[in-house]
Amino acid sequence: MSPSNEGPNGVSNLSTRIANCAEELKALSDEVAQDDIARKELLGACQQTAIYLERPADVIWRYIMIFPTISVIKAALQLGLLDALNASEQPLTAVDLANTIKQDQTVIGLDSSTEGVWQYGHDSSLSLFALLHQHPSDRKIFDTFMSGQRNNRTDWFDAFPTQTILLDGASSDPSSPLIVDIAGGIGSELGAFAKRYPSAPGKLILQDLPETIENSKPTLSSTIEPMAHDIFTPQPVTGARAYYFRAIFHNWPDDKCVEILTNTAKAMKRGYSKVLIHEWVLPDKGAPLQGSLLDVIMMTLSGGKERTETMWRELLGKAGLGIQKVWVDKIDSESLIEAVLED
């Protein structure tokens, strides 16, 4: 942020102007509520401004989110969920809703990676990733999409205090593993870290399934060690400073996540190793729209979900891990969970 946008008390002048603009728009909305011509004029101005502000990645995500939005509304109407929520004086959990509408809880929230909407649509009992394994061209498109998401996001090592979280206390032995990027795709994120911290001590290791590791080789930095690895098998790299997961656990139901975390915990060095998880940590109330809709997408694709801090603590605890800190960047973006072996 440039100095001209910084206020005398450290408050961004832009943030203040945006907040004032939002208040003015709210006031205008009330004023035009009974004047349909003025209302449409204001709506058109807002829509044009939104289009002007959108970047290509924003447009892509907007179209991606159309499907789950429509699907959720349709399902909610057909199941009577909206009526149940409206009739309740307090928030309802998935279990409460299921009991109210006399349906099985799985109708509200799937919890299986092999018995969901994706499997029904493909007439298969395989998980999303097992199906991708059978179709290499689709897997390559998937890997490219996951890598491309970085273009519109701040890297975790720029958004959070990397020196404090990772580098302070790290071994200076060049043969010691610094970061193991688990299921790290074609290595875009780890490659960006290598450029940002070229003098960081220790090895950088990229792990993913064999076909993805093969796809990574044409662009992978020479400073990164590629390693084929299945996350549901024991972690072969022991005593790393950090085992990093970027958008992995939201792909899987709880039992599979515990399996992955347990494999990782067994490889960790007590008092030294950390698990770093870069994912959504949703608030219990007022969850951002993108994170909420991603929750629906992950449920339909793989039986996964986005999680609240309470859910993360419970999940990690089942693998013998405890949260040391949740580093928050912005309310509408992923957080970084820093976890260690429990005493």
Side-chain angles (χ1 to χ4, degrees):
M1 182 178 295
S2 63
S4 61
N5 289 325
E6 192 77 17
N9 297 318
V11 178
S12 166
N13 288 331
L14 276 177
S15 296
T16 301
R17 289 169 60 192
I18 290 169
N20 291 339
C21 181
E23 287 296 320
E24 176 64 15
L25 284 173
K26 184 178 179 181
L28 277 171
S29 298
D30 292 337
E31 288 183 32
V32 303
Q34 304 303 318
D35 185 339
D36 202 48
I37 294 177
R39 183 189 65 80
K40 289 181 178 178
E41 185 178 353
L42 179 60
L43 178 62
C46 291
Q47 289 172 336
Q48 285 296 319
T49 302
I51 291 172
Y52 181 76
L53 287 171
E54 280 184 321
R55 294 178 177 177
D58 298 321
V59 176
I60 292 171
W61 274 110
R62 176 157 54 84
Y63 282 114
I64 288 174
M65 295 302 183
I66 287 174
F67 165 72
T69 303
I70 295 173
S71 299
V72 166
I73 293 172
K74 182 178 180 181
L77 288 170
Q78 291 178 337
L79 292 170
L81 295 178
L82 299 182
D83 292 334
L85 288 169
N86 186 55
S88 176
E89 295 182 357
Q90 59 188 9
L92 299 177
T93 65
V95 175
D96 295 332
L97 279 172
N99 291 335
T100 300
I101 65 174
K102 296 179 172 56
Q103 293 283 345
D104 189 270
Q105 184 186 349
T106 55
V107 175
I108 312 299
L110 299 174
D111 195 28
S112 170
S113 60
T114 58
E115 297 178 354
V117 176
W118 179 268
Q119 286 72 31
Y120 178 81
H122 288 79
D123 191 24
S124 173
S125 60
L126 296 175
S127 71
L128 164 65
F129 297 99
L131 279 168
L132 288 173
H133 177 71
Q134 292 186 345
H135 301 278
S137 59
D138 291 338
R139 176 74 198 205
K140 191 170 184 178
I141 292 171
F142 176 83
D143 290 338
T144 302
F145 171 76
M146 294 304 296
S147 177
Q149 290 189 89
R150 291 189 59 257
N151 295 335
N152 198 44
R153 298 183 180 183
T154 304
D155 289 312
W156 70 270
F157 45 83
D158 286 329
F160 307 105
T162 302
Q163 188 69 40
T164 301
I165 297 171
L166 179 70
L167 300 178
D168 287 349
S171 172
S172 59
D173 183 351
S175 65
S176 177
L178 178 66
I179 301 176
V180 183
D181 189 351
I182 302 172
I186 60 176
S188 301
E189 197 146 1
L190 198 56
F193 177 87
K195 290 181 180 178
R196 181 72 171 79
Y197 292 94
S199 300
K203 295 193 296 185
L204 303 178
I205 300 171
L206 172 68
Q207 293 181 339
D208 213 302
L209 294 173
E211 58 269 28
T212 298
I213 290 296
E214 193 62 32
N215 289 337
S216 75
K217 290 180 178 178
T219 57
L220 194 64
S221 168
S222 60
T223 60
I224 296 172
E225 178 185 333
M227 180 184 295
H229 174 62
D230 183 338
I231 55 177
F232 296 108
T233 61
Q235 172 56 248
V237 181
T238 59
R241 176 59 167 161
Y243 296 89
Y244 175 72
F245 295 89
R246 168 73 173 84
I248 302 302
F249 295 106
H250 75 164
N251 294 312
W252 301 99
D254 287 354
D255 60 333
K256 293 295 185 181
C257 291
V258 172
E259 188 177 345
I260 298 167
L261 288 165
T262 300
N263 286 332
T264 307
K266 290 178 179 178
M268 295 171 66
K269 179 180 178 181
R270 186 173 298 277
Y272 178 75
S273 299
K274 301 180 178 185
V275 169
L276 300 179
I277 300 172
H278 194 192
E279 289 205 25
W280 287 93
V281 180
L282 297 176
D284 292 325
K285 293 182 178 180
L289 181 61
Q290 182 175 340
S292 301
L293 290 178
L294 276 174
D295 182 48
V296 177
I297 291 177
M298 301 321 300
M299 180 185 72
T300 58
L301 286 179
S302 59
K305 55 189 170 186
E306 306 299 340
R307 294 173 170 89
T308 64
E309 183 174 338
T310 300
M311 296 165 74
W312 278 115
R313 289 186 181 278
E314 181 179 348
L315 187 70
L316 287 159
K318 290 178 180 178
L321 296 163
I323 292 180
Q324 197 164 35
K325 186 175 179 64
V326 177
W327 299 88
V328 179
D329 180 25
K330 301 185 292 292
I331 188 63
D332 60 345
S333 66
E334 297 96 331
S335 298
L336 187 72
I337 300 170
E338 181 183 355
V340 296
L341 290 170
E342 288 186 323
D343 297 329

